[in-house]
Amino acid sequence: MNRPDTSAHIARLLTWLSAVRPWLLLCVLASLHALLWVGEDVSYGRVLLLVHVGLLLMWQPLVGVHSRVEARGLAALAVVVLALVVFYGPRVLSLWMLLLAGLIGGKVFYSTSRGPRVYYLGALAYLITALFTVALPRALPPGLSVPAGIAPLGLWLSPLALTVMLGVSGHERADRDRDVLDFVSGLFVLLLLAVLALGTLAAMLLSGVDYLRALLGTLGVLAAMLLLLSWAWNPRGGFGGLGVAFTRYVLSLALPYERWLESLAALSERDGRPEDFVARAANRLLALPLVAGGEWRTRGGDGPAHEGRFGGRGAQRYDFEHPLLELALYTERPLSGGLVWHFNLLVQLLGQFYQARLRAEELRRLSYLSAIHDTGARLTHDVKNLLQSLNTLCYALQEADGPDDAARANALLARQLPVITARLEATLDKLRRPTPADGEWMPAPEWLLAMSARFAGQRVAVEGATDPDQWLPGALYTAVAENLIANALQKRLAEPGIVIVLRLGGERLSVEDDGSAIRPEVEAGLLREPVASANGLGVGLYQSARLAEAAGYALTLELNREGCVRFALAPRPRDFSTEP
């Protein structure tokens, strides 16, 4: 019941935090300066410390505003805050300021915009000034010499950096990466300030000088060392420095992994089963440093799981998982977090290559099934045409009443049975030895005569003038012509008296009739997909169009109007724009 109200309150709180966020860091440093003003008063200092920590928690960039903190994290935070309150004093406050300077130093080096960088530089300048003028002198042992006016001077001068932050606080709104922290840069700032503090203390104890001289001397030595290190890192003048040596060292560490990746890419080009590819790639992991052996196991997919081993066993075992692959590596020494992440990346890449090989196998299987389907579809089409021819012969025999009809029927049988026998043998030969879609080539005049004999007695006009030296893909032209004429004969049953003409001119074959036009809803999918119809129109045409396409031809509905419906088969025009 109260959950919507709670969500509304949380949403308003988050909106308010986003609005006041540019001022939160100022409040954090102001509360810290109040702690420095309190000085030795521990009671007021602990109260102000709680306020300071609360403001810091609202500003901190380590955990996002919408992130959920687990109970373990809250318990650790409570222990840290309790330790700060219990052991509060100048030394704890100095250590706390060092940590805070490292946190803000990580923001200085990460910010790319000028406004946010100046903003965080002002905060870092305040922390460094307050640390070395107020907090650290109070934390020194009583016997060391500290100038009397350095702490009051620091209390009054260090807030000048806060005025710089006031002038650019609005620019923090433009910092898109304000919730991101550069840990390496922050750690560098923390260690640098710690060296400066400890070096100052060491100089005071060893040389017996006062705090100010020790601080300035340590600061000079540290600046000289940084200057020398920066010159050694990039000496210019055509010489490579420590930066080049470090880059070469990092690249040399990655070289074995790069070689393994190259071998992985080379193995993926070889033929073989996917599990054999995984076994060979896993064996090559032995060339990587620290790898003593391992085990692998494939999972997922429709086939059985496969497993194998390579190398020997080591003292340490690391398990890596991919949705289709499990890999365990044995090493003689424990691996660092970076190396574990590196090996996990390699295993993920191996899993991706294995998945690609599985998909290639599946595509090969589907291509095989498609080839079987296409062969079966062509044979089914041929058998259907044979059955239609036999049905026509049976119908002619049934209609023969007198001696003259019987004589014509016998003549028709004498002409058609050899043709049907030859076609049946060709179909059986395709079943024993699949042929391409275009089949065997034959002379155009011979094919035209075969079509004339094939459709004699069915009132189909066969016309054409061909070159004696011209050859045609006989199986393709025969399959398309038989299908088109069979559809026209089926149409003649509903529209008696229509004229059917098969015409061959050059390589162009056309079949037309003078019946009614094909309906628009049927024409939309004709030759592109199987079309549902009462007489089956469209399935055979779809298969014929696919056969023609596979052979480099195009079957089209050239004309569709009342009184003339024409289908045409012709070679597809070549696209010279795609040729080199």
Side-chain angles (χ1 to χ4, degrees), residues 99-159:
L99 296 175
L100 193 58
L103 182 65
I104 296 177
K107 299 293 293 181
V108 170
F109 289 95
Y110 197 86
S111 299
T112 56
S113 302
R114 181 178 180 181
R117 179 174 294 182
V118 173
Y119 182 82
Y120 293 122
L121 276 174
L124 184 60
Y126 165 78
L127 285 172
I128 295 175
T129 304
L131 173 64
F132 288 100
T133 59
V134 182
L136 189 59
R138 292 178 180 175
L140 294 176
L144 298 179
S145 175
V146 178
I150 190 171
L153 183 63
L155 287 174
W156 288 102
L157 290 181
S158 57

Coordinates of all heavy atoms in Angstrom, one line a residue, residues 99-159:
L99 N 43.6 9.7 1.3 CA 42.7 8.9 0.5 C 41.7 9.7 -0.4 O 41.4 9.4 -1.5 CB 41.9 7.9 1.4 CG 42.7 6.9 2.1 CD1 41.8 6.1 3.1 CD2 43.4 6.0 1.2
L100 N 41.2 10.8 0.3 CA 40.3 11.7 -0.5 C 41.0 12.4 -1.6 O 40.4 12.6 -2.7 CB 39.7 12.7 0.5 CG 38.5 13.6 0.0 CD1 37.4 12.6 -0.4 CD2 38.1 14.5 1.1
A101 N 42.3 12.8 -1.4 CA 43.1 13.4 -2.5 C 43.3 12.4 -3.7 O 43.2 12.8 -4.8 CB 44.4 13.9 -2.0
G102 N 43.5 11.1 -3.3 CA 43.6 10.1 -4.4 C 42.3 9.9 -5.2 O 42.3 9.8 -6.4
L103 N 41.2 10.0 -4.4 CA 39.9 9.9 -5.1 C 39.6 11.0 -6.1 O 39.2 10.8 -7.2 CB 38.8 9.8 -4.0 CG 37.4 9.6 -4.5 CD1 37.2 8.3 -5.2 CD2 36.4 9.8 -3.3
I104 N 39.9 12.2 -5.6 CA 39.7 13.4 -6.5 C 40.7 13.5 -7.6 O 40.5 13.9 -8.7 CB 39.6 14.7 -5.6 CG1 38.5 14.6 -4.7 CG2 39.6 15.9 -6.5 CD1 38.3 15.8 -3.8
G105 N 42.0 13.0 -7.3 CA 43.0 13.0 -8.3 C 42.6 12.1 -9.5 O 43.0 12.4 -10.7
G106 N 41.9 11.0 -9.3 CA 41.4 10.2 -10.4 C 40.4 10.9 -11.2 O 40.3 10.6 -12.5
K107 N 39.7 11.8 -10.7 CA 38.7 12.6 -11.5 C 39.5 13.7 -12.3 O 39.0 14.1 -13.4 CB 37.7 13.3 -10.6 CG 36.9 12.4 -9.8 CD 35.9 11.5 -10.6 CE 34.9 12.4 -11.3 NZ 34.0 11.7 -12.1
V108 N 40.6 14.2 -11.8 CA 41.3 15.3 -12.5 C 41.8 14.8 -13.8 O 41.7 15.4 -14.9 CB 42.5 15.8 -11.6 CG1 43.4 16.7 -12.4 CG2 41.9 16.5 -10.4
F109 N 42.5 13.6 -13.8 CA 43.1 13.1 -15.0 C 42.1 12.5 -16.0 O 42.4 12.3 -17.2 CB 44.1 12.0 -14.7 CG 45.3 12.5 -14.0 CD1 45.5 12.6 -12.6 CD2 46.4 13.0 -14.8 CE1 46.6 13.1 -12.0 CE2 47.5 13.5 -14.2 CZ 47.6 13.6 -12.8
Y110 N 40.9 12.1 -15.5 CA 39.9 11.5 -16.4 C 39.0 12.6 -17.1 O 38.5 12.3 -18.2 CB 39.0 10.6 -15.6 CG 38.2 9.6 -16.5 CD1 38.8 8.4 -16.9 CD2 36.9 10.0 -17.0 CE1 38.1 7.6 -17.8 CE2 36.2 9.1 -17.8 CZ 36.8 7.9 -18.2 OH 36.1 7.1 -19.0
S111 N 38.8 13.7 -16.5 CA 37.9 14.8 -17.1 C 38.6 15.3 -18.3 O 39.8 15.7 -18.3 CB 37.7 15.9 -16.1 OG 37.0 15.3 -14.9
T112 N 37.8 15.4 -19.4 CA 38.3 15.9 -20.7 C 37.9 17.4 -20.9 O 38.6 18.1 -21.6 CB 37.8 15.1 -21.8 OG1 36.4 15.0 -21.8 CG2 38.3 13.6 -21.7
S113 N 36.8 17.8 -20.3 CA 36.4 19.2 -20.5 C 37.2 20.1 -19.6 O 37.6 19.7 -18.5 CB 34.9 19.3 -20.2 OG 34.1 18.5 -21.0
R114 N 37.3 21.4 -20.0 CA 38.1 22.3 -19.2 C 37.5 22.7 -17.9 O 38.1 22.7 -16.9 CB 38.4 23.6 -20.1 CG 39.2 24.6 -19.4 CD 39.4 25.8 -20.3 NE 40.3 26.8 -19.6 CZ 40.6 28.0 -20.2 NH1 40.2 28.3 -21.4 NH2 41.4 28.8 -19.5
G115 N 36.1 22.9 -17.9 CA 35.4 23.3 -16.7 C 35.6 22.3 -15.6 O 36.0 22.6 -14.5
P116 N 35.2 21.0 -15.8 CA 35.3 20.0 -14.8 C 36.7 19.8 -14.3 O 37.0 19.5 -13.1 CB 34.7 18.7 -15.5 CG 33.8 19.2 -16.5 CD 34.4 20.5 -17.0
R117 N 37.7 19.9 -15.2 CA 39.1 19.7 -14.8 C 39.5 20.8 -13.9 O 40.2 20.5 -12.9 CB 40.0 19.6 -16.1 CG 41.5 19.5 -15.7 CD 42.3 19.3 -17.0 NE 42.0 18.1 -17.7 CZ 42.6 17.6 -18.8 NH1 43.6 18.4 -19.3 NH2 42.3 16.5 -19.3
V118 N 39.2 22.0 -14.2 CA 39.6 23.1 -13.3 C 38.8 23.0 -11.9 O 39.4 23.2 -10.9 CB 39.2 24.5 -13.9 CG1 39.4 25.6 -12.9 CG2 40.1 24.7 -15.1
Y119 N 37.6 22.5 -12.0 CA 36.8 22.3 -10.8 C 37.5 21.3 -9.8 O 37.7 21.5 -8.6 CB 35.4 21.8 -11.2 CG 34.5 21.6 -10.0 CD1 33.8 22.6 -9.5 CD2 34.3 20.3 -9.5 CE1 32.9 22.4 -8.4 CE2 33.4 20.1 -8.5 CZ 32.7 21.1 -8.0 OH 31.8 20.9 -6.9
Y120 N 37.9 20.1 -10.4 CA 38.6 19.1 -9.6 C 40.0 19.5 -9.2 O 40.5 19.1 -8.2 CB 38.5 17.8 -10.3 CG 37.2 17.2 -10.5 CD1 36.7 16.9 -11.8 CD2 36.4 16.9 -9.4 CE1 35.4 16.4 -11.9 CE2 35.1 16.4 -9.5 CZ 34.6 16.1 -10.8 OH 33.3 15.6 -10.9
L121 N 40.7 20.3 -10.1 CA 42.0 20.7 -9.7 C 41.9 21.7 -8.5 O 42.8 21.7 -7.6 CB 42.6 21.5 -10.9 CG 43.3 20.6 -11.9 CD1 43.8 21.5 -13.1 CD2 44.5 19.9 -11.3
G122 N 40.9 22.5 -8.4 CA 40.7 23.3 -7.3 C 40.5 22.5 -6.0 O 41.0 22.8 -4.9
A123 N 39.7 21.4 -6.1 CA 39.5 20.6 -4.9 C 40.8 19.9 -4.5 O 41.1 19.8 -3.3 CB 38.4 19.5 -5.3
L124 N 41.6 19.4 -5.5 CA 42.8 18.8 -5.2 C 43.8 19.7 -4.6 O 44.6 19.4 -3.6 CB 43.4 18.1 -6.5 CG 44.7 17.3 -6.3 CD1 44.5 16.1 -5.3 CD2 45.2 16.8 -7.6
A125 N 43.8 21.0 -5.1 CA 44.7 22.0 -4.5 C 44.4 22.3 -3.1 O 45.3 22.5 -2.2 CB 44.6 23.3 -5.4
Y126 N 43.1 22.4 -2.8 CA 42.7 22.6 -1.4 C 43.2 21.5 -0.5 O 43.7 21.7 0.6 CB 41.2 22.7 -1.3 CG 40.7 22.6 0.1 CD1 40.8 23.7 1.0 CD2 40.1 21.4 0.6 CE1 40.4 23.6 2.4 CE2 39.7 21.3 1.9 CZ 39.9 22.4 2.8 OH 39.5 22.3 4.1
L127 N 42.9 20.2 -0.9 CA 43.3 19.1 -0.1 C 44.8 19.0 0.2 O 45.3 18.8 1.3 CB 42.9 17.8 -0.8 CG 41.4 17.5 -0.7 CD1 41.0 16.3 -1.5 CD2 40.9 17.2 0.8
I128 N 45.6 19.3 -0.9 CA 47.1 19.3 -0.7 C 47.5 20.4 0.2 O 48.4 20.2 1.1 CB 47.8 19.4 -2.1 CG1 47.5 18.1 -2.9 CG2 49.3 19.5 -1.9 CD1 48.0 18.2 -4.3
T129 N 47.0 21.6 0.0 CA 47.4 22.7 0.9 C 47.0 22.5 2.3 O 47.8 22.7 3.3 CB 46.7 24.0 0.4 OG1 47.0 24.2 -1.0 CG2 47.1 25.2 1.2
A130 N 45.7 22.0 2.6 CA 45.2 21.8 3.9 C 46.0 20.6 4.6 O 46.3 20.6 5.8 CB 43.7 21.5 3.9
L131 N 46.4 19.6 3.8 CA 47.1 18.4 4.3 C 48.4 18.8 4.8 O 48.8 18.5 6.0 CB 47.1 17.3 3.3 CG 48.0 16.1 3.6 CD1 47.4 15.4 4.8 CD2 48.1 15.2 2.4
F132 N 49.2 19.6 4.0 CA 50.6 19.8 4.4 C 50.8 21.1 5.2 O 51.9 21.4 5.7 CB 51.5 19.9 3.1 CG 51.7 18.6 2.4 CD1 50.9 18.2 1.4 CD2 52.6 17.7 3.0 CE1 51.1 17.0 0.8 CE2 52.8 16.5 2.4 CZ 52.0 16.1 1.3
T133 N 49.7 21.9 5.4 CA 49.9 23.1 6.3 C 49.1 22.9 7.6 O 49.5 23.6 8.6 CB 49.3 24.3 5.5 OG1 48.0 24.1 5.2 CG2 50.2 24.6 4.3
V134 N 48.1 22.1 7.6 CA 47.3 22.0 8.8 C 47.3 20.6 9.4 O 47.7 20.3 10.6 CB 45.8 22.4 8.6 CG1 45.0 22.4 9.9 CG2 45.8 23.8 8.0
A135 N 46.8 19.6 8.6 CA 46.6 18.2 9.2 C 47.9 17.5 9.5 O 48.1 17.0 10.6 CB 45.8 17.4 8.1
L136 N 48.9 17.5 8.6 CA 50.1 16.8 8.8 C 51.0 17.4 9.9 O 51.5 16.7 10.7 CB 50.9 16.7 7.5 CG 52.1 15.8 7.5 CD1 51.7 14.4 7.9 CD2 52.9 15.8 6.2
P137 N 51.1 18.7 10.0 CA 51.9 19.3 11.2 C 51.3 18.9 12.5 O 52.0 18.7 13.5 CB 51.8 20.8 10.9 CG 51.7 20.9 9.5 CD 50.8 19.8 9.0
R138 N 49.9 18.8 12.6 CA 49.3 18.4 13.9 C 49.6 16.9 14.2 O 49.5 16.5 15.3 CB 47.8 18.7 13.8 CG 47.5 20.2 13.8 CD 46.0 20.3 13.7 NE 45.6 21.7 13.6 CZ 44.3 22.1 13.4 NH1 43.3 21.2 13.3 NH2 44.0 23.4 13.4
A139 N 49.8 16.1 13.1 CA 50.0 14.7 13.3 C 51.4 14.3 13.6 O 51.7 13.1 14.0 CB 49.5 13.9 12.1
L140 N 52.4 15.2 13.5 CA 53.8 14.9 13.8 C 54.0 14.7 15.3 O 53.3 15.2 16.2 CB 54.7 16.0 13.3 CG 54.7 16.2 11.8 CD1 55.5 17.5 11.5 CD2 55.2 15.0 11.1
P141 N 55.0 13.9 15.7 CA 55.3 13.7 17.1 C 55.7 15.0 17.8 O 56.1 16.0 17.1 CB 56.5 12.7 17.0 CG 56.4 12.0 15.7 CD 55.8 13.1 14.8
P142 N 55.5 15.1 19.1 CA 55.7 16.4 19.8 C 57.1 16.9 19.7 O 57.3 18.1 19.8 CB 55.3 16.1 21.2 CG 54.4 14.9 21.1 CD 54.9 14.1 20.0
G143 N 58.1 16.1 19.6 CA 59.5 16.5 19.7 C 60.0 17.2 18.4 O 61.1 17.8 18.4
L144 N 59.3 17.1 17.3 CA 59.7 17.7 16.0 C 59.4 19.1 15.9 O 58.4 19.6 16.5 CB 59.1 16.9 14.9 CG 59.5 15.4 14.8 CD1 58.8 14.7 13.6 CD2 61.0 15.2 14.7
S145 N 60.2 19.9 15.2 CA 60.1 21.3 15.1 C 59.1 21.7 14.0 O 59.4 21.3 12.9 CB 61.5 22.0 14.9 OG 61.3 23.4 14.7
V146 N 58.1 22.4 14.4 CA 57.1 22.9 13.4 C 56.9 24.4 13.6 O 56.7 24.8 14.7 CB 55.7 22.1 13.6 CG1 54.7 22.6 12.6 CG2 55.9 20.6 13.5
P147 N 57.0 25.2 12.5 CA 56.7 26.6 12.7 C 55.4 26.9 13.3 O 54.4 26.3 12.9 CB 56.9 27.1 11.2 CG 57.7 26.1 10.5 CD 57.4 24.8 11.1
A148 N 55.3 27.9 14.1 CA 54.1 28.2 14.9 C 53.0 28.7 14.0 O 51.8 28.4 14.2 CB 54.4 29.1 16.0
G149 N 53.3 29.5 13.0 CA 52.2 30.1 12.2 C 51.8 29.4 11.0 O 51.0 29.9 10.2
I150 N 52.3 28.2 10.8 CA 51.9 27.5 9.6 C 50.5 27.0 9.6 O 49.8 27.0 8.5 CB 52.9 26.3 9.3 CG1 52.7 25.8 7.9 CG2 52.8 25.2 10.3 CD1 53.8 24.8 7.5
A151 N 50.0 26.5 10.7 CA 48.6 26.0 10.8 C 47.6 27.1 10.6 O 46.7 27.0 9.8 CB 48.4 25.2 12.1
P152 N 47.7 28.3 11.3 CA 46.7 29.3 11.1 C 46.8 29.9 9.6 O 45.7 30.2 9.0 CB 47.1 30.4 12.1 CG 47.8 29.7 13.2 CD 48.5 28.6 12.5
L153 N 48.0 29.9 9.1 CA 48.1 30.4 7.7 C 47.4 29.4 6.7 O 46.7 29.9 5.8 CB 49.6 30.5 7.3 CG 49.9 31.1 5.9 CD1 49.4 32.5 5.8 CD2 51.4 31.0 5.6
G154 N 47.6 28.1 7.0 CA 46.9 27.2 6.1 C 45.4 27.2 6.3 O 44.6 27.1 5.3
L155 N 44.9 27.5 7.5 CA 43.4 27.5 7.7 C 42.8 28.7 7.0 O 41.7 28.6 6.5 CB 43.1 27.6 9.2 CG 43.3 26.4 10.0 CD1 43.1 26.7 11.5 CD2 42.4 25.3 9.6
W156 N 43.6 29.8 6.8 CA 43.0 31.0 6.1 C 43.3 31.0 4.6 O 42.5 31.5 3.8 CB 43.6 32.2 6.7 CG 43.1 32.5 8.1 CD1 43.7 32.3 9.3 CD2 41.8 33.1 8.4 NE1 42.8 32.7 10.3 CE2 41.7 33.2 9.8 CE3 40.7 33.5 7.6 CZ2 40.5 33.7 10.4 CZ3 39.6 34.0 8.2 CH2 39.5 34.1 9.6
L157 N 44.4 30.4 4.2 CA 44.7 30.4 2.8 C 44.1 29.3 1.9 O 43.8 29.4 0.8 CB 46.3 30.4 2.6 CG 47.0 31.6 3.0 CD1 48.5 31.5 2.8 CD2 46.5 32.9 2.3
S158 N 44.0 28.1 2.5 CA 43.5 26.9 1.8 C 42.1 27.1 1.2 O 41.8 26.6 0.1 CB 43.6 25.7 2.6 OG 42.9 25.8 3.8
P159 N 41.2 27.9 1.9 CA 39.8 28.1 1.3 C 39.8 28.9 0.0 O 38.8 28.9 -0.6 CB 39.1 28.8 2.4 CG 39.7 28.4 3.7 CD 41.2 28.3 3.3

